[in-house]
């Protein structure tokens, strides 16, 4: 009978006071990385569906029975819903100084009550902080939300925490020795500062390059880097600490708006860098994810933080898969910089995977849990910066090739294909340069004599040999800065810069005639041609190339009529 009464009493205790059976005191001890209260039995949890429960309510017998062991990870609920946590902590030393801290900064409202001693007396005033409060409400100026527990004697103490969030997926708590926590926070600040410094340096460097190259990809990279930096600062609590701690409205929204902006610019960067416009379906997919990111930003600004956060998380997964698939597609088309892009995506994926493995207790790495995301982001942005440099190198080589092609086409357009001399276009360009400087010029127009009979008797191949040989002989008789052009047929023109005396021009005309009359050998035959040259000078014979050529043509006609070899243009 005694055994039966004992079993019945035990069952009554289970029904009437489940929290008594499940509450296992947390032994306060020195933990270098703090003690995460995520194991079953560490904390008791009560979901407040109405959000109206007060401390007195949850301490009452009716509500106390509703407490149950907190699950390792709480699912986000719709709207800003309140979650109560009850913790019993046992101190074995005579006195202790501890902090109870949240594992996230993305909490709308945070309240700590206690600690209560075994007699139910509270030893400290409550703490009320969170994103909805100014930063100065946070004890110890901590980026995370915490309550300092200064316990005067050994014993079991009870603490209640009320956490409200519609954006944070994890509502976890940890307990630290205060000195250890402050030291850890200093180390984390130093590491965070290094990551911020890397991102800031990349941002400034690529901002300068964006201004130099005027390339859209650089602009999108700068936007991605900027909002990645601000997102990390917001997640770490430093943005609230140093930037907008007195603006609670923006504190609540920045944790969702900034990641949305980050993903928007990440999609724009991927679209531009991978040249997704060449693949229509990929281009549309990037634009769709960008539109969803814009929608998430608008929802967050409107106060729909839970929905916006869920949209962000979906985009973070889908966008990463899309960017990876897009990089693979573009890489298969021979676009080498896509490999760098894949490397950046892989760095971020591996860091996120490490955080997940730590959360799942597969890997014990508290440092990775606290810093994995920003490590991945910093490495990703460094790799993306290298990818941009390879892309710019590729673009510059392409531009060089196009410039050389353009120069080749321009040269071909201004060159006579048979003789390699300038054609009419090349002559006009050369004359324009000389006349623009106000320099005097002389035009010598040459027409070959006895050329048609050579064509008729020996064929066009012989005529072509004569024209090429004459072109070479004329080119050898002029100064480096003078110009020889073929106007077509058997007409050649020389453009001589600077004022030259008539005697010097006459001597030159005789040398040219003699050079042209020298025999030209073709298939064992010696072919000879003569020339008639007309000479016109600026400014007396004309001020433009057209006027000078017209005057030289008249003089050349006079030379043919007189059989004199050359003639100067004479004004009537």
């Amino acid at each position: 009978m005694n055994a039966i009464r004992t079993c019945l009493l035990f069952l009554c205790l289970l029904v009437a006071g489940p929290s008594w059976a499940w509450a296992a005191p947390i032994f306060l001890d020195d933990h270098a990385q703090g003690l995460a209260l995520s194991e079953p039995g560490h904390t008791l949890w009560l979901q407040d569906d109405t959000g109206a429960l007060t401390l007195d309510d949850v301490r009452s017998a009716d509500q106390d029975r509703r407490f149950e062991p907190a699950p390792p990870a709480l699912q986000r609920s719709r709207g800003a819903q309140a979650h109560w946590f009850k913790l019993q902590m046992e101190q074995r030393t005579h006195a202790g100084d501890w902090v109870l801290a949240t594992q996230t900064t993305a909490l709308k409202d945070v309240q700590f009550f206690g600690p209560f001693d075994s007699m139910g007396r509270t030893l400290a005033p409550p703490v009320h902080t969170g994103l909805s409060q100014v930063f100065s409400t946070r004890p110890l100026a901590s980026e995370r939300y915490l309550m300092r527990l200064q316990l005067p004697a050994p014993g079991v103490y009870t603490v209640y925490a009320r956490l409200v969030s519609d954006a944070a997926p994890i509502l976890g708590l940890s307990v630290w020795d205060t000195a250890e926590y402050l030291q850890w926070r200093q180390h984390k600040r130093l590491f965070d500062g290094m990551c911020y410094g890397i991102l800031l340096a990349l941002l400034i460097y690529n901002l300068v390059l964006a201004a130099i190259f005027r390339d859209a990809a650089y602009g999108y990279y700068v936007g991605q880097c900027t909002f990645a930096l601000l997102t990390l600062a917001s997640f770490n609590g430093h943005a609230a600490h140093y930037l907008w701690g007195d603006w609670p409205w923006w504190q609540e929204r920045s944790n969702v708006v900034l990641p949305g902006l980050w993903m928007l610019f990440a999609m724009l960067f991927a679209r531009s860098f991978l040249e997704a416009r060449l693949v229509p379906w990929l281009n549309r997919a990037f634009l769709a994810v960008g539109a969803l990111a814009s929608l998430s930003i608008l929802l967050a600004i409107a106060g729909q933080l839970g929905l916006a956060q869920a949209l962000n998380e979906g985009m973070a997964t889908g966008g990463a898969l899309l960017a990876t698939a897009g990089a693979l597609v573009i890489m298969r088309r021979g676009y080498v910089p896509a490999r760098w892009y894949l490397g950046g995506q892989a760095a971020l994926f591996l860091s996120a995977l490490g955080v997940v493995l730590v959360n799942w207790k597969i890997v014990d790495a508290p440092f990775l849990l606290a810093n994995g995301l920003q490590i991945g982001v910093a490495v990703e942005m460094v790799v993306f910066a290298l990818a941009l440099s390879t892309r710019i190198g590729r673009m510059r080589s392409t531009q060089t090739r196009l410039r050389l092609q353009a120069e080749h086409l321009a040269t071909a357009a201004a060159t006579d294909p048979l003789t390699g001399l300038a054609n009419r276009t090349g002559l006009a360009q050369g004359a324009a340069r000389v006349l623009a400087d106000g320099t005097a010029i002389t035009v010598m127009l040459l027409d070959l004599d006895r050329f048609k009979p050579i064509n008729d008797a020996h064929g066009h191949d012989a005529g072509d040999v004569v024209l090429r040989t004459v072109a070479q002989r004329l080119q050898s008789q002029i100064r480096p800065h003078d110009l020889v052009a073929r106007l077509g047929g058997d007409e050649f023109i020389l453009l001589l810069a600077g004022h030259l005396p008539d005697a010097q021009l006459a001597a030159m005309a005789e040398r040219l005639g003699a050079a042209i009359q020298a025999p030209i050998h073709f298939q064992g035959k010696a072919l000879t041609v003569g020339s008639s040259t007309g000479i016109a000078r600026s400014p007396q014979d004309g001020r433009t190339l057209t006027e000078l050529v017209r005057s030289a043509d008249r003089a050349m006609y006079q030379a043919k009529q007189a059989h004199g070899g050359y003639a100067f243009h004479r004004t009537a």
Side-chain angles (χ1 to χ4, degrees), residues 99-295:
V99 293
L100 177 65
T102 63
Q103 291 183 348
T104 178
T105 62
L107 297 172
K108 177 183 179 68
D109 192 83
V110 177
Q111 296 183 63
F112 292 106
F113 302 95
F116 297 94
D117 62 14
S118 58
M119 304 298 295
R121 295 172 299 192
T122 181
L123 304 181
V127 173
H128 188 191
T129 185
L131 292 173
S132 61
Q133 309 294 316
V134 296
F135 185 85
S136 58
T137 59
R138 305 187 192 188
L140 299 179
S142 170
E143 286 79 20
R144 294 188 182 185
Y145 313 109
L146 57 84
M147 180 181 203
R148 189 173 184 181
L149 307 173
Q150 294 177 298
L151 306 180
V156 176
Y157 298 86
T158 304
V159 175
Y160 290 89
R162 181 180 184 270
L163 309 182
V164 179
S165 176
D166 48 8
I170 298 176
L171 301 176
L173 295 166
S174 59
V175 63
W176 302 68
D177 176 88
T178 299
E180 290 287 353
Y181 177 79
L182 294 175
Q183 184 178 11
W184 172 85
R185 190 178 71 176
Q186 286 300 109
H187 291 163
K188 187 171 189 327
R189 281 181 173 178
L190 178 61
F191 183 82
D192 292 343
M194 293 172 57
C195 291
Y196 297 158
I198 293 172
L199 293 177
L200 189 59
L202 290 172
L203 192 158
I204 295 173
Y205 173 69
N206 286 281
L207 186 62
V208 173
L209 293 181
I212 295 173
F213 292 111
R214 305 285 182 178
D215 181 36
Y218 270 105
Y220 296 139
Y221 175 89
V222 168
Q224 182 180 357
C225 193
T226 298
F227 291 111
L229 175 61
L230 290 175
T231 296
L232 291 177
S234 183
F235 284 176
N236 290 329
H238 298 126
H241 193 167
Y242 300 105
L243 298 178
W244 45 71
D246 294 327
W247 193 11
W249 183 90
W250 176 242
Q251 281 188 161
E252 289 188 61
R253 288 158 176 78
S254 63
N255 277 356
V256 183
V257 172
L258 293 174
L261 288 167
W262 178 11
M263 281 183 282
L264 173 61
F265 277 93
M267 289 299 101
L268 293 174
F269 171 73
R271 175 175 174 266
S272 178
F273 179 83
L274 296 174
E275 299 180 356
R277 283 171 290 185
L278 302 177
V279 184
W281 69 265
L282 182 61
N283 185 51
R284 289 193 294 270
F286 278 130
L287 291 175
V289 176
L292 289 176
S294 300
L295 176 61

Side-chain angles (χ1 to χ4, degrees), residues 324 340-352 376 379-380 384:
T324 302
W340 285 96
Y341 187 88
L342 279 175
Q345 288 290 100
L348 186 60
F349 172 78
L350 291 175
S351 64
V379 173
E380 179 192 50
F384 282 177

Side-chain angles (χ1 to χ4, degrees), residues 349-467:
F349 172 78
L350 291 175
S351 64
L353 178 63
V355 173
V356 170
L357 293 177
V358 174
N359 273 327
W360 289 355
K361 305 302 181 184
I362 298 176
V363 175
D364 183 19
F367 176 83
L368 186 60
L369 180 64
N371 304 294
L373 176 62
Q374 58 200 48
I375 291 174
V377 171
V379 173
E380 179 192 50
M381 298 311 295
V382 169
V383 175
F384 282 177
L386 294 174
L388 273 173
S389 66
T390 63
R391 180 176 183 270
I392 288 298
R394 181 174 180 269
M395 289 174 59
R396 293 184 69 178
S397 63
T398 301
Q399 290 172 353
T400 301
R401 186 172 65 253
L402 292 175
R403 178 176 55 80
L404 292 175
Q405 290 176 353
E407 291 175 355
H408 174 73
L409 292 174
T411 302
T415 303
D416 174 54
L418 176 63
T419 63
L421 300 177
N423 58 14
R424 290 181 179 270
T425 301
L427 174 65
Q429 292 172 353
R433 288 193 294 269
V434 175
L435 291 171
D437 295 335
T439 305
I441 63 173
T442 299
V443 170
M444 302 180 74
L445 180 63
L446 292 86
D447 184 74
L448 300 184
D449 299 329
R450 302 184 300 278
F451 177 73
K452 187 175 184 302
I454 291 177
N455 257 342
D456 294 341
H458 303 286
H460 289 287
D461 287 344
D464 289 346
V465 169
V466 169
L467 292 174

